[in-house]
Amino acid sequence: MCLSIPSKVVKIDKEKATAVVDTMGVQREVGIDFIENEVKIGDYVLIHIGFAMNIISEEEALASIETYKEILALMDEEQKRQAILDGNNCSG
Amino acid sequence: MRLELKNLYDDFRDPDTIKALAKLIYNEAKGLQKPVNIMEVCGGHTHTIMKYGLKQLLPESIRFIHGPGCPVCIMPKERIDHATILARQPDVILVTLGDMIKVPGSRGSLQQARSEGADVRFVYSPLDALKIAKENPDKTVIFFAIGFETTTPMTAALIDRAEKLGVKNLLYHINHVTVPEVMRELIDSRDEHIDSYNNRIDAFIGPSHVSVIAGAKIYKEFPKRYGRPVVVSGFEPVDVMEGVWMLVRQFVQNRCALEIQYRRSVTMEGNLTAQKQIEKIFEKRGLFKWRGLGNIPHSALKLREAYAHLDAERVYADILPVEEIEDHKLCICGDILRGMAEPTECQVFGTACTPSKPLGSCMVSSEGACAAYYKYGDLLK
C-alpha cells in the first residue's frame, strides 16, 4: 500500500536536491525535486519511493507518529527498519 | 506473528468509524434506482477492500469490480523477458523496484535469473540506481522502470540527475503506464460474450497516489464524456468507505461529477513540478501491451528523442525479441483485469495458481486481485 509515515527533514543539500530525513529513527537521503514550496529543516514530509512528495503540518505529522511509535517499539531494529522502508515502497 | 506497518494506521482503521460509514452508505443506498458497480482502479484499493472485508459491510446494491491498477500485474511477459535477457548480459546490473522479482515471463523471472548468476538488484528508490552506477563504473546499469503516474516523476528525476552528473553507464528500460487510457479502454471495449459489458462499470474509485502527482483533473472526461462519476480516494478503509459513500450520494442525487475524497494530499491540479519533469523526459508511446488486456493506444510513456541514447530498448535492440506472447490459456487474468470475472471464477485459482507458484499476473503481486482473494479469501465464506 502506498502510505508513508511522516518524516522529519534534518539536513538539506539544495545543490543536489536532496535532504536527509528521519523516519522514526531511520535516517536516509531522499530527493526533494518535487516539493513545490521551499522545504526547511524541521518540516515534515511524506516520502514515496525515495522522494519527498509533500510537506504536511507538524500537528498532523506528530499525531500520526504517536500511533506508530507504540507498535514499532515492539519490533527489533531490523524489523523496524524494514517496516519503515516497506511502508513507502509501492511501485503503483 | 510479524507486525506489519500496514496495521498501524489506526486513525483510518477505526472499526466504529468504518461501521458508521457503512450505516450511512446503507441509508443512502435505499435511494438507489438500480445496483451500482464501482470499479476500484488500483490494486491497493482491492487489497484494502479484501483485507478489511469492506464488501461484506456494504448493501448488495453496491458491488466492487476490481480494476487493472497494479503495475506488476499488467506487465506483459514480453517486457519481463526483456528484463531477464538484459539481466543476463555480461557486465550488466539490472535494477528495479518491488514485486517485479517474482513475475514470470516466458523465460522465467528475475528471481530465477538472479539465482543463475545474473546481477539483479531491488531498490527502494530509483535514486539507488544512480549510486549503483557510480559504484560500478565498469558495468552497465539498467534501470527497469515500472509504475503508473505515481512513480514516473521519480524515474524522470533519476534520468535528469544522471545526465547532469555526466553518468554514462546508466540506461533505462521504460515501462511507465498511465491510468486514464486504460479506464477509457475498459469503458470503450466490448466483449463478444457479453453484449456490452461496458455497462458493468457505473463509477470509478480513483487512486489517490496517482493524483498526488497528476492531479484529479486526469479523470475529468469520465463524468463528462462517459457519464461515469469518479471519486479520488485514499487507501485506508475509512478513505475507501467515504469514497463509496460519496459515489452513492451522486447516484441518489442524480449527479455525475469528479470529486476528491483524499483532500489530505490531492488537488485538482496535482504536483506541477513533477508534471513538468515528466514532460521534459517522456513522451507518449503509440501502443503498449497490457498483460491480459492487449495493446492500448497511448497508455504508456517512452523516453523523448533527446534521451534515446539512454534507452535500453534501443541500445540492446538486436537481442530483445519483439514477438507477442500469449498468456497461459487457463488463466483468466484478462477477464479479471477488465472487471468481467472474479478471481474465484478462475479454474486454476488457488490450485495450479497460488502466490508461491503463480500462473497469472493477478496472483503474482501482493496488489493483484487474485493474491488479495487468496490471502483474505476466508472473508468471502
Side-chain angles (χ1 to χ4, degrees):
Chain A
M1 265 193 275
C2 308
L3 298 163
S4 45
I5 309 178
S7 306
K8 193 173 188 174
V9 177
V10 292
K11 208 167 148 189
I12 296 171
D13 185 335
K14 277 193 188 161
E15 195 125 307
K16 279 169 66 191
T18 58
V20 175
V21 298
D22 184 296
T23 317
M24 304 191 65
V26 177
Q27 292 209 348
R28 66 202 143 131
E29 194 179 59
V30 299
I32 51 169
D33 312 47
F34 308 124
I35 298 283
E36 293 178 297
N37 300 318
E38 199 180 336
V39 63
K40 298 181 293 296
I41 288 175
D43 278 347
Y44 284 90
V45 290
L46 293 177
I47 312 294
H48 188 64
I49 59 162
F51 285 81
M53 291 318 296
N54 35 22
I55 301 173
I56 63 164
S57 79
E58 184 167 3
E59 194 188 356
E60 203 176 315
L62 293 178
S64 43
I65 285 174
E66 275 312 305
T67 318
Y68 316 137
K69 262 189 186 164
E70 293 169 19
I71 316 283
L72 284 174
L74 301 171
M75 298 183 187
D76 66 30
E77 280 308 305
E78 184 47 36
Q79 278 180 328
K80 183 175 154 184
R81 203 186 70 85
Q82 203 58 39
I84 287 168
L85 292 172
D86 280 348
N88 306 323
N89 193 34
C90 170
S91 56
Chain B
M1 184 190 113
R2 181 175 176 265
L3 279 168
E4 283 182 293
L5 194 64
K6 289 168 189 162
N7 296 334
L8 311 184
Y9 294 78
D10 290 347
D11 283 356
F12 300 107
R13 293 172 186 190
D14 173 36
D16 289 339
T17 313
I18 295 172
K19 277 181 206 151
L21 276 164
K23 207 170 165 188
L24 285 173
I25 295 169
Y26 254 99
N27 285 338
E28 198 75 51
K30 285 177 193 157
L32 286 173
Q33 307 288 320
K34 60 182 181 72
V36 173
N37 297 320
I38 299 172
M39 174 174 272
E40 83 278 1
V41 180
C42 177
H45 282 145
T46 308
H47 199 82
T48 300
I49 288 163
M50 292 306 296
K51 182 167 182 173
Y52 296 95
L54 301 187
K55 259 170 102 138
Q56 289 71 31
L57 290 175
L58 296 175
E60 278 181 14
S61 56
I62 297 166
R63 302 167 191 156
F64 287 117
I65 300 178
H66 313 304
C70 162
V72 172
C73 300
I74 59 91
M75 193 70 71
K77 283 183 182 169
E78 293 88 333
R79 310 289 295 179
I80 297 161
D81 286 352
H82 281 195
T84 54
I85 290 167
L86 291 172
R88 287 185 167 108
Q89 293 310 300
D91 297 322
V92 161
I93 303 174
L94 189 107
V95 179
T96 191
L97 298 170
D99 283 343
M100 279 311 302
I101 187 164
K102 292 181 293 180
V103 194
S106 73
R107 304 155 189 244
S109 64
L110 284 170
Q111 197 168 28
Q112 277 166 285
R114 186 160 70 170
S115 69
E116 289 158 17
D119 195 343
V120 179
R121 303 189 194 180
F122 296 88
V123 294
Y124 283 112
S125 166
L127 288 184
D128 292 338
L130 190 55
K131 207 182 291 172
I132 294 169
K134 281 189 198 161
E135 287 166 2
N136 297 276
D138 52 334
K139 299 271 172 79
T140 299
V141 176
I142 302 174
F143 183 61
F144 188 72
I146 61 165
F148 287 84
E149 285 86 341
T150 329
T151 55
T152 312
M154 289 73 162
T155 304
L158 166 68
I159 295 168
D160 203 34
R161 280 165 186 241
E163 282 293 88
K164 280 179 185 153
L165 292 170
V167 174
K168 299 280 179 225
N169 61 329
L170 182 53
L171 302 179
Y172 311 89
H173 189 283
I174 302 296
N175 302 278
H176 285 299
V177 284
T178 50
V179 172
E181 284 72 17
V182 70
M183 286 168 62
R184 207 179 293 147
E185 167 79 11
L186 293 176
I187 294 178
D188 277 344
S189 53
R190 299 280 196 283
D191 188 270
E192 58 190 20
H193 306 297
I194 299 172
D195 292 343
S196 58
Y197 82 80
N198 62 333
N199 288 330
R200 282 173 58 93
I201 305 168
D202 298 312
F204 291 100
I205 291 186
S208 57
H209 58 339
V210 163
S211 286
V212 166
I213 307 290
K217 66 183 176 200
I218 58 169
Y219 304 118
K220 269 184 180 163
E221 66 184 299
F222 295 97
K224 265 195 190 153
R225 196 170 142 216
Y226 294 104
R228 264 53 169 213
V230 179
V231 172
V232 178
S233 295
F235 288 93
E236 290 302 321
V238 166
D239 295 326
V240 175
M241 290 295 273
E242 193 184 356
V244 170
W245 183 39
M246 290 167 75
L247 282 172
V248 173
R249 261 190 314 190
Q250 287 200 31
F251 280 98
V252 172
Q253 296 169 1
N254 209 18
R255 289 187 297 122
C256 182
L258 165 62
E259 294 179 323
I260 303 170
Q261 178 275 331
Y262 196 78
R263 295 191 177 276
R264 304 202 284 282
S265 288
V266 173
T267 60
M268 206 45 97
E269 287 308 308
N271 188 318
L272 298 175
T273 313
Q275 290 168 30
K276 251 183 246 156
Q277 181 76 283
I278 293 170
E279 186 60 29
K280 179 180 166 191
I281 307 279
F282 296 112
E283 61 184 347
K284 287 274 182 190
R285 261 177 213 268
L287 274 182
F288 189 83
K289 185 179 172 189
W290 292 54
R291 192 163 186 170
L293 298 177
N295 286 310
I296 304 179
H298 312 299
S299 63
L301 303 175
K302 63 176 183 181
L303 290 168
R304 286 191 179 278
E305 208 50 42
Y307 300 93
H309 60 291
L310 303 172
D311 189 341
E313 277 186 77
R314 290 202 188 195
V315 174
Y316 290 93
D318 53 333
I319 56 162
L320 297 177
V322 290
E323 303 81 48
E324 297 214 353
I325 303 168
E326 292 298 313
D327 285 323
H328 195 287
K329 63 181 189 305
L330 289 176
C331 171
I332 61 163
C333 279
D335 288 349
I336 294 166
L337 293 171
R338 282 177 190 277
M340 291 170 59
E342 296 225 338
T344 46
E345 291 172 48
C346 179
Q347 55 174 310
V348 290
F349 173 79
T351 52
C353 183
T354 61
S356 57
K357 217 179 164 199
L359 271 186
S361 55
C362 300
M363 189 63 95
V364 173
S365 160
S366 58
E367 303 271 301
C370 292
Y373 271 65
Y374 188 88
K375 191 167 179 188
Y376 304 114
D378 287 348
L379 290 167
L380 296 172
K381 288 168 192 163

